[in-house]
Amino acid sequence: MSKKARLSSSDDLLRENETTKDWVSQLPDDILINIISKLTLMEAARTCVLSSRWRYLWTFTTALDFDGIREILPRTKRYFREYKFVRWVNKVLVLHRGSNVSQFRVSFYLSSSLEGVITNWIYKALAKTVQNFELDFQYNSGHHYTFPQEIYNSLKGVRGLSSIKSLRSICLSAVNVTGEILEFFIHNCPLLDELCVKDSIDLVSLKVVGSSVRLNSLDIQYCSFMKDIEISTPNLFSFKYYGPKIELHIENVPQLVELSVRADHTVEDMFLVAPLVCYFPQLTMLELDSCNEVSI
């Protein structure tokens, strides 16, 4: 073989190596973890087989979204689903190495026997300075998880308060929680701008009051024993209420631009809307449902 032929062959091999080289794996850890955090937890875990470089990267994901309805139920027989889901969550939380979590979400059917397990998950989530926290148990049949008094008590201390300073949103569905606990989060989470509570039988009264309250969005839905809500905060721009007749006291909401009200039945007077009429001119979105007969 001539010298020219040998050089040509070497050039081809070099170009082939450059083409097949894994450039993605050469990226810094922070970038790769950010990419992995865009995947579902199941997909993120599968990246561990790509190479030794990727083996543990998924354990630093910042998105702990345990969506059992989507990822567990379709492939699992009904009587195995709870066991498999709990094992999955526990395993991920044991393996997870990250100290900061942008999202912690649990969505699944869980029986009353697992309240202690769920409480342990909450402790672990708060220990990772979580930003967006969600418990979604709306698929449970007649069972509601009750936010533990023991967690509330532990958060009142200096160490507990530091663990919730990063919270930006709290969403609770089919979780029994009192107004006292919600108000504690509202006043002790300086970054909290979204609060959503659905189907809580323990929520009777709620006060969102204070010039220092950062809350931008308040969403209260289908809390059967709700009696009154008091709002006075300059930062609120969105208020949504779906549920029974309540007493609504609202003032000092100069930023309010989105309002959505739905009643469980036909309403003979504007029990919710009347206190808000003076704010109508500043609204950009107004939704009124089941308010068929109105007298102000």
Side-chain angles (χ1 to χ4, degrees), residues 194-206:
E194 179 182 355
L195 177 63
C196 177
V197 181
K198 300 178 182 179
D199 191 17
S200 171
I201 62 175
D202 286 349
L203 185 56
V204 177
S205 178
L206 181 64

Side-chain angles (χ1 to χ4, degrees), residues 51-76:
S51 70
S52 58
R53 172 80 168 82
W54 290 78
R55 185 173 182 182
Y56 298 109
L57 283 176
W58 77 272
T59 64
F60 291 91
T61 180
T62 60
L64 295 177
D65 185 357
F66 299 100
D67 190 341
I69 302 301
R70 180 178 61 185
E71 300 204 45
I72 297 293
L73 189 58
R75 299 186 296 275
T76 308

Side-chain angles (χ1 to χ4, degrees), residues 1 45 50 63 90 93 98 107 113 152 159 170 199 226 260 267 290:
M1 181 183 295
L50 295 177
N90 286 339
L93 291 179
S107 177
S113 62
Y152 176 44
R159 186 174 180 181
I170 299 175
D199 191 17
M226 197 81 200
S260 180
V267 183
S290 295

Side-chain angles (χ1 to χ4, degrees), residues 12 41 56 68 70 108 139 177 222 233 242 250-251 287 292:
D12 290 341
L41 272 174
Y56 298 109
R70 180 178 61 185
F108 201 54
Y139 305 101
V177 61
Y222 308 116
T233 174
Y242 301 167
I250 184 164
E251 61 181 7
E287 179 186 27
N292 298 329

Side-chain angles (χ1 to χ4, degrees), residues 13 15 63 113 121 142 144 149 157 161 168 219 239 244 268 296:
L13 182 60
R15 282 194 295 270
S113 62
W121 294 346
H144 287 58
Q149 185 69 29
L161 287 173
R168 293 181 177 274
D219 184 351
F239 174 52
E268 295 183 354
I296 300 178

